[in-house]
Amino acid sequence: MIILAVIFVFGMTLNVNIGSVSIKTGDILSMIWAAIKFSLANLFTNGAYETDLQSAVYGAAESRILFSIRLPRMMLAAVLGGALSVSGYLLQVFFRNPIAGPFVLGISSGAKMVVGITLIFLSGHMSHVSSLTLVCSAFVGSMLVTFLVLLFSQKVKNMSMLLVVGIMVGYICSAATDFCITFASEHDVVNLTNWSMGSFSGASWSNVGLAAVICFAGTVAAMLISKPIGAYALGEGYALSMGINIKALRAALVIFSSVLSACVTALAGPISFVGVAVPHITRSLLKSSRPIFVIPASFLCGAVFCVLCDLIARTLFAPTELMIGTVTSVFGAPVVIYMMIKRKKAEGD
């Protein structure tokens, strides 16, 4: 955990420091300290230092880049990356399969479908579609697909086949989204296409605040049931012998996972492989499967993974920016392939 925290701080520093305009680490710390100092002073003097605060935040080009673009983007990448990793871990516990994840099971595609429908058909009747509306839409889509996968799981006992079913459901949702886009205006098509490829480039402080509230609440809620999760991971029979309400626990796993993945999809678009690869990497690093350790470590590891992937996405071919899903796939897909081969060998033994 300490090593992860150190890497996280290093990744955050690099993410904020590097870009088309390089900002020295000392200047970054100085600007952040000035903003914190004047914000605290405002609290105790009824806004007497508002002018100084505005000058510290927007007074120079470097401070505007830092506070308006890089800091909110880095923080959104960290929060959503952590949330997606925890969401994947909860699904892996639920399905008892280390390859399960929001993207693989089609849950992200379901969220994308309903968000797309909301943007296309509601934007014409509403002056502004808020981030909270998008999160709620994504949650409805996530729950819809999760319900379908659960129905199939009653019929399909083979986990590999269940993953194939999830992938097919994801394709159906993508086809429905494309069908709706056919009737969208040119402006909506451009927005939807950019959003559906996944990116943190549209980050704002309001999005960071909303993501932090939802994702931290979901992660803390998951940690509060870490003991039942640990018992459930050892088998339903063992969990029942411990007096755990299996139905309530399974419902909690699905709801928490769907809320977390819905928030990610609504605010940054579908991001592939983070929810599958990062929990596996976390367990390998910790050498432990205890949820009370794995959940916070998964959040931290997911935050590190997405912050570094976002740094690569926006700097590797600058000024052209890669989509975040492209970078996460490059690093995440090999991990998933390795896990599938390892699982197949274990079944063979």
Side-chain angles (χ1 to χ4, degrees):
M1 289 286 282
I2 296 174
I3 295 174
L4 271 179
V6 171
I7 297 174
F8 179 57
V9 172
F10 178 69
M12 289 173 67
T13 307
L14 274 183
N15 197 297
V16 176
N17 180 262
I18 298 175
S20 56
V21 175
S22 179
I23 306 175
K24 294 178 181 177
T25 304
D27 293 340
I28 293 171
L29 295 176
S30 175
M31 285 186 280
I32 291 176
W33 168 243
I36 293 174
K37 182 176 65 177
F38 290 128
S39 296
L40 290 174
N42 265 344
L43 286 177
F44 297 102
T45 58
N46 198 24
Y49 290 88
E50 184 61 29
T51 305
D52 295 315
L53 177 62
Q54 293 298 320
S55 176
V57 175
Y58 302 111
E62 289 186 344
S63 63
R64 287 196 295 274
I65 291 172
L66 178 66
F67 290 105
S68 301
I69 301 174
R70 292 188 187 172
L71 267 183
R73 178 170 180 154
M74 181 272 295
M75 294 180 73
L76 190 68
V79 173
L80 296 185
L84 196 53
S85 176
V86 173
S87 173
Y89 171 72
L90 297 178
L91 283 176
Q92 290 169 11
V93 171
F94 183 90
F95 287 104
R96 303 179 192 283
N97 192 322
I99 309 172
F103 189 82
V104 175
L105 292 174
I107 295 172
S108 296
S109 298
K112 172 187 167 185
M113 178 183 69
V114 180
V115 169
I117 291 172
T118 302
L119 285 173
I120 292 170
F121 295 106
L122 282 188
S123 59
H125 303 282
M126 299 173 66
S127 59
H128 173 66
V129 181
S130 68
S131 298
L132 185 59
T133 304
L134 295 181
V135 172
C136 293
S137 302
F139 177 68
V140 171
S142 298
M143 290 299 294
L144 179 64
V145 172
T146 304
F147 179 70
L148 285 175
V149 174
L150 285 175
L151 280 181
F152 283 115
S153 70
Q154 303 299 317
K155 304 291 183 184
V156 181
K157 299 301 180 185
N158 186 303
M159 281 300 169
S160 299
M161 283 302 298
L162 185 62
L163 293 178
V164 173
V165 168
I167 292 169
M168 292 302 110
V169 171
Y171 275 120
I172 292 171
C173 292
S174 297
T177 308
D178 293 340
F179 178 79
C180 294
I181 289 176
T182 305
F183 301 98
S185 65
E186 188 174 334
H187 176 262
D188 288 336
V189 170
V190 173
N191 286 338
L192 277 169
T193 302
N194 290 334
W195 167 80
S196 65
M197 295 178 76
S199 174
F200 298 112
S201 59
S204 65
W205 284 113
S206 60
N207 285 350
V208 172
L210 179 64
V213 169
I214 295 174
C215 297
F216 288 147
T219 303
V220 170
M223 289 181 66
L224 291 176
I225 59 170
S226 57
K227 191 173 181 180
I229 290 176
Y232 181 78
L234 296 175
E236 286 192 18
Y238 179 76
L240 282 171
S241 70
M242 297 291 289
I244 294 169
N245 187 330
I246 298 295
K247 286 186 178 178
L249 178 62
R250 287 167 67 93
L253 288 173
V254 169
I255 291 173
F256 293 160
S257 175
S258 297
V259 167
L260 292 172
S261 64
C263 185
V264 176
T265 306
L267 298 179
I271 300 175
S272 53
F273 294 106
V274 177
V276 182
V278 174
H280 172 72
I281 295 171
T282 305
R283 283 191 292 265
S284 301
L285 290 174
L286 284 180
K287 305 293 183 187
S288 171
S289 298
R290 294 183 63 184
I292 191 64
F293 299 127
V294 175
I295 292 173
S298 290
F299 190 96
L300 199 53
C301 201
V304 171
F305 187 79
C306 277
V307 165
L308 293 178
C309 284
D310 183 52
L311 176 65
I312 294 171
R314 69 180 178 83
T315 58
L316 187 61
F317 297 106
T320 301
E321 185 172 316
L322 298 173
M323 292 299 157
I324 186 68
T326 305
V327 182
T328 56
S329 297
V330 168
F331 292 104
V335 176
V336 176
I337 292 170
Y338 166 76
M339 289 164 60
M340 293 181 72
I341 293 173
K342 186 179 177 183
R343 184 179 176 85
K344 190 67 180 175
K345 284 183 177 178
E347 289 175 354
D349 294 339

